[in-house]
Amino acid sequence: MTSLRHLCMATAGIAALSATLPADARSLETAYGTVEVADNPARVVTLYTNALDTSLTAGVKPLGAVATRGGDGVARYFGEQADGIEIVGTPRETNIEAVAALAPDVILASPQLPEAQYELLSRIAPTVVPDVEPYQMESWENEARVYGKALGRSDTIDDAIAEIDAKAEALSERQNGSPTASLIRWMPQGAIVMADNIFASTLLTKSGFTVEDGDTVKEGRPHSDPLSLENLSRIDNDWLFLATLNAEGDEAYEAARQSPAFERLDVVQRDRVVSVDGQLWTSATGPMAAKAILDDIASAMDAAQ
């Protein structure tokens, strides 16, 4: 990856690559002001999982994308749809030169993109940063609608969101009451509890669960600090959705599940621990991810009947 100082030097020669917008451009209100984007852009680069997810949902395959947390490429749930997409960075750092080399018509970035990064990217192509507050029930939907508008595919994205809402409502109607649930990611240092307002947790809520973090997550944070095995009782709810990101997490979880502290949890005794893909459940966001998570929830509910 390239340091910010080197990026600033590199972009001095990148500005010449910026395309001139055609007359048929659309205006989008973004976190950094009004941005003019060509109608139906063909050359797209995404720097955020929801942007990639929304693009593929809309039928637009990006030229480049950043890797998903927990891997060297994009998330596994994309499958063959993401074949051939060039990796141009990580969630933490973008390779500006790699983005510029793709000569994009538009760049779709995260709502949390720093202004300094925005200034560099916007010299390459119109850069869309949704003005959306993170960690709210509708955050991912609002982001997807902004990306859909930038791509000229608003109707397709609205239809996808409506389908997801209907599927979640159907799952909620199947519930007997409002069972409690927690979502955790098992790391080598221990289990971290995901906040009740992150993407996957909001889908659990829409599916009729009451998501609880056992007061382990500080306000404004996406997850807790690692818990000791003895403190797992704080999230001993009706259901436990348990994710890992990599081999180290898998190994740590396999060791922990042999411990008496884990085995005596009521949720373990009742066989309501559901293993899920950590890239999907704790690192992804977007319409395709929502559908995949709801499919996992439906399968878990089916198995419990």
Side-chain angles (χ1 to χ4, degrees):
M1 295 303 167
T2 313
S3 71
L4 184 59
R5 182 168 63 86
H6 289 159
L7 292 179
C8 291
M9 294 172 61
T11 51
I14 287 172
L17 295 175
S18 298
T20 301
L21 284 173
D24 55 341
R26 71 181 69 240
S27 296
L28 278 77
E29 296 303 319
T30 76
Y32 294 116
T34 303
V35 173
E36 300 291 329
V37 179
D39 278 345
N40 302 312
R43 302 183 63 83
V44 178
V45 169
T46 63
L47 305 180
Y48 176 48
T49 303
N50 195 354
L52 171 59
D53 191 306
T54 300
S55 294
L56 292 175
T57 300
V60 178
K61 188 172 184 176
L63 301 173
V66 294
T68 304
R69 184 181 294 106
D72 297 326
V74 300
R76 292 177 288 271
Y77 76 90
F78 289 120
E80 294 180 356
Q81 293 187 65
D83 287 353
I85 296 176
E86 183 175 335
I87 300 302
V88 295
T90 69
R92 292 183 178 274
E93 191 171 11
T94 300
N95 185 327
I96 301 291
E97 291 94 333
V99 174
L102 294 175
D105 298 326
V106 66
I107 299 168
L108 306 181
S110 163
Q112 300 181 51
L113 183 78
E115 187 170 4
Q117 287 269 325
Y118 171 78
E119 293 295 338
L120 296 174
L121 291 165
S122 62
R123 298 182 192 179
I124 301 171
T127 300
V128 176
V129 179
D131 188 11
V132 174
E133 185 177 356
Y135 307 129
Q136 303 296 313
M137 184 64 71
E138 312 297 335
S139 292
W140 76 268
E141 296 180 12
N142 293 333
E143 293 168 2
R145 288 191 173 98
V146 173
Y147 299 136
K149 184 176 180 181
L151 296 169
R153 307 292 178 92
S154 291
D155 289 347
T156 303
I157 300 308
D158 287 342
D159 289 346
I161 292 172
E163 181 181 347
I164 290 160
D165 287 342
K167 185 175 181 65
E169 184 177 355
L171 290 174
S172 181
E173 290 173 353
R174 289 178 52 188
Q175 297 282 18
N176 181 15
S178 185
T180 57
S182 291
L183 170 60
I184 68 173
R185 181 200 290 159
W186 209 287
M187 306 289 285
Q189 302 87 350
I192 59 175
V193 184
M194 309 307 293
D196 60 7
N197 53 6
I198 70 158
F199 173 64
S201 294
T202 65
L203 292 169
L204 284 168
T205 299
K206 287 187 174 184
S207 299
F209 293 89
T210 299
V211 180
E212 297 183 354
D213 63 22
D215 294 326
T216 62
V217 182
K218 296 179 181 178
E219 186 174 356
R221 296 279 297 164
H223 56 71
S224 71
D225 293 329
L227 296 183
S228 66
L229 286 171
E230 291 71 21
N231 280 329
L232 286 178
S233 59
R234 298 175 67 176
I235 53 167
D236 194 4
N237 296 307
D238 297 325
W239 291 79
L240 177 61
F241 293 85
L242 191 151
T244 56
L245 274 180
N246 49 37
E248 289 79 7
D250 293 340
E251 292 172 4
Y253 169 55
E254 287 302 319
R257 66 184 298 194
Q258 308 301 322
S259 71
F262 187 85
E263 291 184 344
R264 63 173 168 257
L265 293 173
D266 287 341
V267 69
V268 174
Q269 296 294 321
R270 288 183 283 99
D271 195 24
R272 291 292 184 272
V273 178
V274 182
S275 294
V276 296
D277 183 344
Q279 275 198 327
L280 172 62
W281 277 70
T282 66
S283 296
T285 175
M288 292 175 63
K291 185 178 183 301
I293 288 172
L294 292 177
D295 285 344
D296 285 348
I297 295 171
S299 295
M301 292 173 63
D302 290 343
Q305 290 182 343

